[in-house]
Amino acid sequence: MSIATDFAPTEGLDRPSSPAIAIHNLNHWFGHGDLKKQVLFDINLEIHRGEIVLVTGPSGSGKTTLLTLIGGLRSVQNGSLSVLGRELHHANTEALVLARRYNGYIFQAHNLHRSLTAAQNVQMGLALHQALSAQEIRSRAIEMLELVGLGHRIDYYPDDLSGGQKQRVAIARALASHPQIVLADEPTAALDSQSGREVVNLMHGLAKQQGCTILMVTHDNRILDIADRVVSVEDGRLVSSSRSS
């Protein structure tokens, strides 16, 4: 089954030949005054359309901070960070909200609403797309759940799903709007090895089908083989970037 990509990019997004993500001399700090601490140092990185990049490194190395900056969840303080041709440095709140509409987010905690069914949780990922009717949103949610193998669980609540099934719902929600970029933060950390592999393979297959770019933070060495490239971060610095063998 395939999904029609009917969410057209708006004017001003990048040309296909340009990087999906371009980072130059990016620095970031937390805190103020005497408590101010630099957490990212002179990050330079380009990620191209359709590329799957894994970001590895010790806890506290700055991986998640980098991911949230790329996702428009934090304001860029210093340097250049361009996503789909939009510069996020000096972007106001409205511009950051607009940038987030082109992203899909998958986190370690699936962040499903316990009071909503699987289908209703996926429908939330489509709520901002006013061109779709309520019936179209429901149909798209069910279609995505079928693609992730949960067509028989569309009306189940999160408490009635396994950990792997909850993460599949989160993937369906993230990919339902056909995002141009998927940002994933430790999506397999709470899963056993088999469920983790299934979830990552699912992300890989659907993302390749939809032609989107994946940037995934992970400590899981068992999934490095899905990457086009592995980037390592230590103490807030990019220390290596290598093609996956």
Side-chain angles (χ1 to χ4, degrees), residues 153-240:
R153 293 285 191 271
I154 61 175
D155 292 322
Y156 279 54
Y157 290 90
D159 287 348
D160 298 320
L161 299 174
S162 69
Q165 288 173 335
K166 291 175 185 176
Q167 201 64 302
R168 286 170 179 260
V169 176
I171 291 170
R173 181 180 59 190
L175 294 177
S177 61
H178 308 296
Q180 296 188 44
I181 295 174
V182 172
L183 302 171
D185 192 3
E186 299 284 2
T188 65
L191 304 177
D192 59 48
S193 58
Q194 179 178 345
S195 296
R197 169 54 67 174
E198 290 175 352
V199 162
V200 167
N201 286 345
L202 187 61
M203 285 177 58
H204 178 273
L206 288 177
K208 284 297 186 183
Q209 177 184 338
Q210 295 187 8
C212 66
T213 303
I214 296 181
L215 181 63
M216 183 190 308
V217 166
T218 186
H219 284 104
D220 193 346
N221 292 330
R222 299 168 299 183
I223 65 172
L224 298 183
D225 59 297
I226 72 154
D228 296 312
R229 186 157 42 118
V230 178
V231 171
S232 297
V233 178
E234 292 182 12
D235 298 323
R237 294 175 170 85
L238 182 63
V239 294
S240 69

Side-chain angles (χ1 to χ4, degrees), residues 25-71:
N25 304 317
L26 181 69
N27 297 279
H28 196 76
W29 294 263
F30 287 149
H32 302 279
D34 293 339
L35 298 178
K36 187 175 182 179
K37 178 182 179 181
Q38 189 165 357
V39 293
L40 293 178
F41 299 80
D42 199 30
I43 301 293
N44 290 276
L45 179 65
E46 289 191 351
I47 299 172
H48 297 279
R49 285 179 176 270
E51 194 174 15
I52 298 177
V53 176
L54 300 190
V55 182
T56 66
S59 297
S61 60
K63 305 184 302 299
T64 296
T65 300
L66 179 61
L67 196 74
T68 55
L69 286 166
I70 293 170

Side-chain angles (χ1 to χ4, degrees), residues 113-128:
H113 288 261
R114 295 177 64 186
S115 62
L116 301 179
T117 65
Q120 289 168 337
N121 269 285
V122 176
Q123 286 172 231
M124 290 185 62
L126 297 166
L128 292 176

Side-chain angles (χ1 to χ4, degrees), residues 131-148:
L132 294 178
S133 68
Q135 182 177 353
E136 288 171 326
I137 288 175
R138 171 75 176 177
S139 177
R140 177 68 61 83
I142 292 173
E143 187 177 13
M144 283 304 305
L145 286 169
E146 289 174 346
L147 282 174
V148 301

